[in-house]
Amino acid sequence: MKMPSLSWINLEWRWQKFFYVLVVAEVPFTVSALALYGIADPDLYRTQLWQEGANHGWNSDPIEILYSYANYAPIDTPTPWNQWITTYNVVIAVLSMFVMLVKTVMYITDTFPPLLSVIIHGTLAVLYAVSIDHQAASDYSDPLHPSKYPWYLTRGCGAPVNPNLKGYCQQAQGAFATTVCLCALFTLHMVIALVCCRRTKEQRIELDSKTLDLESPGSTFDDRKWEMEMSHYPRTPGTTGGMKTPMTPRTLAFNTLDGALPNRRPNKDLPLRHHIAMGSETFKGR
């Protein structure tokens, strides 16, 4: 089976300045995400915001989880108030910081091709999209108080919210906004790298000309290929590494005579059978 050709993939960045601009823009958001997610973990204000929404009838009540376990009918914690999403955010923030440092070094050393950038930034964009989906998830665990989105994203942090929770409310909003910005940055990274992966018309013409040069009969590539193939056969006598002077009976006789022809006898010394065949006149000299 013939493998598909990857000649259309470009291994060089077309717009190098865009990479540095995006990395510089990524640094403050990555640091902010790492700080905000780390502060929120494991449960600095998540349950308090949940309870504040329940006090105003904006979402379910955390006490219902305890009642469900007491009645041996446990229910799942609503997604926006779940511990899982807090831990998940910390993990992807640490991963983003690691990737940012490594890819910068690889880019400076010319070992970070656009195709690798598409894979890495595409993965990060998906991870942050999942985080956005979970942070803005609905809470329908209480049919009497359904919530399509967390209240701090739709109602703000002003009155009638408890003033003591205003800072936590703003931190939750900041964490969500940072997640959206990082998702957008990684998506832009991926799009630019994807465009750079495609060779331009000029690059394809240059590549085709180089390919034709390599495939020409007198090319160095074919000469090397021929030498590699011939190296598997036994060496011919007289070539490098073989016998310098092949000794055959004909060659031995030629060397004995020093390259000179042997002396030939004149016609008068011809054998008798020759004179008889030519007649008596010839034999008598007539």
Side-chain angles (χ1 to χ4, degrees):
M1 181 177 179
K2 187 177 179 180
M3 297 296 294
S5 176
L6 298 179
S7 60
W8 61 272
I9 298 179
N10 184 26
L11 300 179
E12 297 179 358
W13 288 89
R14 196 176 307 169
W15 307 298
Q16 297 184 359
K17 293 183 179 179
F18 279 97
F19 183 87
Y20 290 112
V21 170
L22 291 176
V23 170
V24 171
E26 182 183 341
V27 171
F29 289 107
T30 304
V31 174
S32 299
L34 191 61
L36 291 172
Y37 297 157
I39 291 173
D41 186 65
D43 186 11
L44 177 63
Y45 52 78
R46 186 183 64 255
T47 303
Q48 297 184 52
L49 296 179
W50 186 9
Q51 183 64 57
E52 180 67 16
N55 295 338
H56 297 282
W58 297 335
N59 51 245
S60 61
D61 197 324
I63 200 67
E64 293 179 0
I65 303 298
L66 298 177
Y67 289 156
S68 65
Y69 278 94
N71 295 327
Y72 300 97
I75 60 175
D76 294 332
T77 303
T79 302
W81 316 116
N82 200 312
Q83 171 63 36
W84 179 86
I85 185 60
T86 305
T87 305
Y88 176 85
N89 288 337
V90 174
V91 172
I92 62 174
V94 174
L95 178 63
S96 300
M97 179 64 72
F98 174 77
V99 169
M100 183 182 64
L101 296 175
V102 172
K103 73 181 180 183
T104 303
V105 175
M106 292 181 65
Y107 185 81
I108 294 175
T109 56
D110 292 331
T111 56
F112 192 66
L115 182 59
L116 181 60
S117 178
V118 171
I119 297 174
I120 292 177
H121 292 114
T123 303
L124 290 174
V126 171
L127 293 176
Y128 277 91
V130 172
S131 177
I132 294 173
D133 179 70
H134 282 70
Q135 290 185 56
S138 57
D139 177 10
Y140 293 140
S141 59
D142 186 357
L144 299 178
H145 303 94
S147 174
K148 188 175 182 179
Y149 302 105
W151 63 266
Y152 57 83
L153 297 179
T154 57
R155 300 178 182 274
C157 302
V161 178
N162 187 348
N164 295 329
L165 298 178
K166 183 178 180 179
Y168 293 151
C169 176
Q170 292 175 343
Q171 288 185 32
Q173 290 178 336
F176 181 79
T178 303
T179 306
V180 174
C181 291
L182 284 173
C183 183
L185 275 175
F186 292 138
T187 303
L188 185 59
H189 256 298
M190 181 187 66
V191 171
I192 293 178
L194 193 60
V195 174
C196 291
C197 282
R198 186 69 178 178
R199 293 183 184 273
T200 61
K201 183 178 180 180
E202 292 77 12
Q203 289 175 331
R204 290 196 297 269
I205 293 175
E206 183 180 357
L207 179 63
D208 292 340
S209 63
K210 290 181 179 179
T211 304
L212 290 176
D213 292 340
L214 290 177
E215 292 178 354
S216 60
S219 64
T220 307
F221 173 78
D222 288 339
D223 293 342
R224 284 200 300 263
K225 182 179 179 181
W226 182 83
E227 290 178 0
M228 292 176 63
E229 291 179 354
M230 293 302 297
S231 64
H232 299 290
Y233 297 95
R235 296 183 179 275
T236 304
T239 59
T240 304
M243 297 174 58
K244 299 302 180 182
T245 305
M247 301 302 294
T248 62
R250 187 183 183 92
T251 305
L252 181 62
F254 186 80
N255 292 337
T256 303
L257 296 174
D258 293 329
L261 295 175
N263 294 326
R264 297 185 181 276
R265 290 175 296 177
N267 292 339
K268 65 181 181 178
D269 294 331
L270 292 177
L272 180 62
R273 63 177 179 274
H274 181 74
H275 294 284
I276 295 175
M278 297 183 64
S280 59
E281 295 81 0
T282 305
F283 180 76
K284 293 178 180 181
R286 296 177 183 178

